[in-house]
Amino acid sequence: MRNNIILLLAVLLSVLNAQGQNIVQIEYFYDADPGFGNGTQVSVTPDTNIPNLTIASDISALPTGVHQFYIRSKDANGHWSITNRSFFYKIPTSTITLSDVVSIEYFYDADPGFGNGTQVPVTPNSNVANLTIASDISALPSGVHQFYIRSKDANGHWSITNRSFFYKIPSLTTTLSDVVSIEYFYDADPGFGNGTQVSVTPNTNVANLTIASDISALPSGVHQFYIRSKDANGHWSITNR
């Protein structure tokens, strides 16, 4: 956010409109909604799809801290899109020189306290990029786990603790079973085995699957699409949404 300018990529601005009406207006605002049509206007050429939109916005008037950026569009029929939101942090103007990162640590599942995680060798630098960590997870039980990582600078200030989920496969699963069934459904779960079946050739890995699904019976609006698979042992996968 150098020079108090933030460049934001606006995506998913196409109005969900069966008639494919042109987008004729785009506006954005920060933190508080001024009302439809009262945001900061963005110059736009009317089109049904406006991808890769870049906005140069002056945020010098915003106070330091966390803010919310909102953006939305209106079509030729006067219908507004969903208002999309993103969070960002405005760095204090006094923070011109970044302190070196001098310590990085990680841990699994339970926080042992600042400074008590597994230490990662790091060469002090204001930006530690492309860091690779080789971690032994053999002591972790099978199942879902949380991986946490954070850093400390030369002034003793800790970063936010970042978290990622992962699944440790049971050690007995040395041979993958074939996927023998795939099903999908919309909005409400009909129960395992009761979804719409997808034709599939049994295989341990079903890649690049294309499903042609008729959604004409669904009412207009937001919906949820679910899909899952079953292996030769009768075990179901996670239901992806």
Side-chain angles (χ1 to χ4, degrees), residues 4-238:
N4 294 322
I5 294 295
I6 180 172
L7 297 178
L8 294 163
L9 181 66
V11 296
L12 300 177
L13 285 174
S14 297
V15 177
L16 297 178
N17 188 299
Q19 286 73 40
Q21 293 295 319
N22 280 345
I23 293 171
V24 296
Q25 183 178 346
I26 294 176
E27 68 177 21
Y28 68 90
F29 56 91
Y30 296 100
D31 301 329
D33 193 331
F36 289 96
N38 296 323
T40 301
Q41 300 301 307
V42 179
S43 178
V44 59
T45 300
D47 202 332
T48 57
N49 182 32
I50 302 177
N52 304 320
L53 177 68
T54 300
I55 299 173
S57 174
D58 183 4
I59 61 170
S60 59
L62 294 178
T64 300
V66 177
H67 295 277
Q68 300 178 67
F69 171 84
Y70 296 84
I71 191 167
R72 59 193 172 207
S73 62
K74 186 175 73 172
D75 69 12
N77 289 330
H79 299 146
W80 286 95
S81 70
I82 293 173
T83 302
N84 294 278
R85 179 181 64 172
S86 296
F87 287 87
F88 68 95
Y89 178 74
K90 181 181 177 183
I91 300 172
T93 54
S94 58
T95 310
I96 299 173
T97 302
L98 296 176
S99 297
D100 282 348
V101 173
V102 296
S103 175
I104 295 177
E105 67 177 23
Y106 68 89
F107 56 91
Y108 296 100
D109 300 328
D111 194 332
F114 289 97
N116 297 322
T118 302
Q119 300 299 309
V120 179
V122 59
T123 301
N125 198 301
S126 60
N127 182 32
V128 181
N130 302 319
L131 179 67
T132 300
I133 299 174
S135 176
D136 181 6
I137 62 170
S138 59
L140 293 177
S142 300
V144 176
H145 294 277
Q146 299 178 68
F147 171 83
Y148 296 84
I149 190 168
R150 59 193 172 207
S151 62
K152 185 176 69 173
D153 68 15
N155 294 324
H157 300 146
W158 286 94
S159 70
I160 294 173
T161 302
N162 294 280
R163 179 181 65 171
S164 296
F165 287 87
F166 69 95
Y167 177 74
K168 181 182 176 183
I169 300 173
S171 58
L172 295 178
T173 311
T174 54
T175 302
L176 295 176
S177 298
D178 283 347
V179 173
V180 297
S181 175
I182 294 177
E183 67 178 24
Y184 68 90
F185 55 92
Y186 294 98
D187 300 330
D189 194 332
F192 289 96
N194 297 322
T196 302
Q197 300 299 308
V198 179
S199 178
V200 59
T201 302
N203 199 302
T204 57
N205 182 31
V206 180
N208 302 319
L209 179 67
T210 300
I211 299 173
S213 175
D214 182 7
I215 62 170
S216 59
L218 293 177
S220 300
V222 177
H223 294 277
Q224 299 180 70
F225 171 84
Y226 297 83
I227 190 168
R228 60 193 171 208
S229 62
K230 185 176 70 172
D231 68 14
N233 292 325
H235 299 146
W236 286 94
S237 70
I238 293 173

